[in-house]
Amino acid sequence: MGKVFTHVTMSLDGYVADPDDHFAELFDWYGAGEVSVPSGNEDIAFQVDEASAEALRDLTGNVGALVAGRRLFDIAHGWNDAHPCGAPVVVVTHNTPADAERWPRTTFASGVEAAIAEARKIAGGKDITIASANITQQALDLGLVDEVRVSLVPVLFGEGVPHFTKLDRGHLLLEDPTVIQGRRALHLTYPVRR
């Protein structure tokens, strides 16, 4: 069975967007190199350095499903039903869009546990990635995450949408990270201590 991991590109001070949901500076590393890495969305191209290419391939190479929150789904306009990771998407929402058939590769689930269960079915033994701050928080609290991955970038927002907030279950211990130093991003992978 594949693992469940979270991934976010985050500012040095821990934010995934500024107060107005702008985040463009966070993704400079996706165009900071000369190595092409294929995307699952023809409208999105990755041109990264060799180290970041290794990290990006590891992030997307074995992903069978991606879990996201409704807020991110709406901001990204459902990625036009083609998320860059190339996998089907499961969206956690209590209000499925009336035009849900517009996204045939997207499934809607009423909660985080249901979304992870559905993602496991879809993934067929491949990895599942979680790409939303709030959903990450809930999945960590539920003990559903195997690895926490962060691409830390040299930007300070000072305020905005934090990636990590208070954990309901208290401290969560992680193992020592695997570190890949890329251009414009430091890629960190922390296994969750069991």
Side-chain angles (χ1 to χ4, degrees):
M1 179 167 41
K3 62 187 161 215
V4 176
F5 67 86
T6 68
H7 177 256
V8 66
T9 296
M10 179 172 74
S11 68
L12 185 59
D13 53 352
Y15 296 102
V16 296
D18 72 12
D20 297 318
D21 278 332
H22 297 127
F23 47 80
E25 298 99 340
L26 295 178
F27 299 117
D28 285 351
W29 71 274
Y30 285 128
E34 51 290 323
V35 179
S36 291
V37 177
S39 163
N41 183 321
E42 64 185 37
D43 297 329
I44 298 173
F46 300 125
Q47 286 294 129
V48 296
D49 63 283
E50 187 57 51
S52 289
E54 175 188 338
L56 195 52
R57 286 184 200 107
D58 188 47
L59 284 170
T60 61
N62 193 45
V63 171
L66 177 129
V67 177
R70 176 66 188 269
R71 182 169 173 261
L72 178 59
F73 177 80
D74 288 345
I75 289 170
H77 305 288
W79 301 278
N80 293 324
D81 210 36
H83 191 280
C85 78
V89 175
V90 179
V91 177
V92 179
T93 183
H94 297 294
N95 188 16
T96 301
D99 59 348
E101 70 282 349
R102 187 175 147 203
W103 298 281
R105 289 179 40 113
T106 301
T107 303
F108 297 91
S110 62
V112 173
E113 286 182 285
I116 296 294
E118 185 62 29
R120 285 192 196 284
K121 290 180 201 169
I122 292 168
K126 289 186 168 185
D127 295 339
I128 298 164
T129 185
I130 302 171
S132 294
N134 185 273
I135 304 308
T136 293
Q137 196 75 30
Q138 292 179 60
L140 287 168
D141 276 331
L142 292 166
L144 299 173
V145 177
D146 299 310
E147 290 179 352
V148 174
R149 297 182 182 191
V150 174
S151 293
L152 193 62
V153 297
V155 174
L156 295 170
F157 281 162
E159 62 179 335
V161 179
H163 185 59
F164 297 110
T165 58
K166 182 180 179 224
L167 290 169
D168 290 339
R169 66 189 256 188
H171 294 162
L172 177 65
L173 296 177
L174 307 174
E175 299 296 343
D176 291 338
T178 300
V179 180
I180 297 175
Q181 173 64 60
R183 189 175 305 144
R184 305 294 304 156
L186 182 65
H187 308 285
L188 306 164
T189 299
Y190 295 90
V192 173
R193 187 176 288 180
R194 299 283 181 206

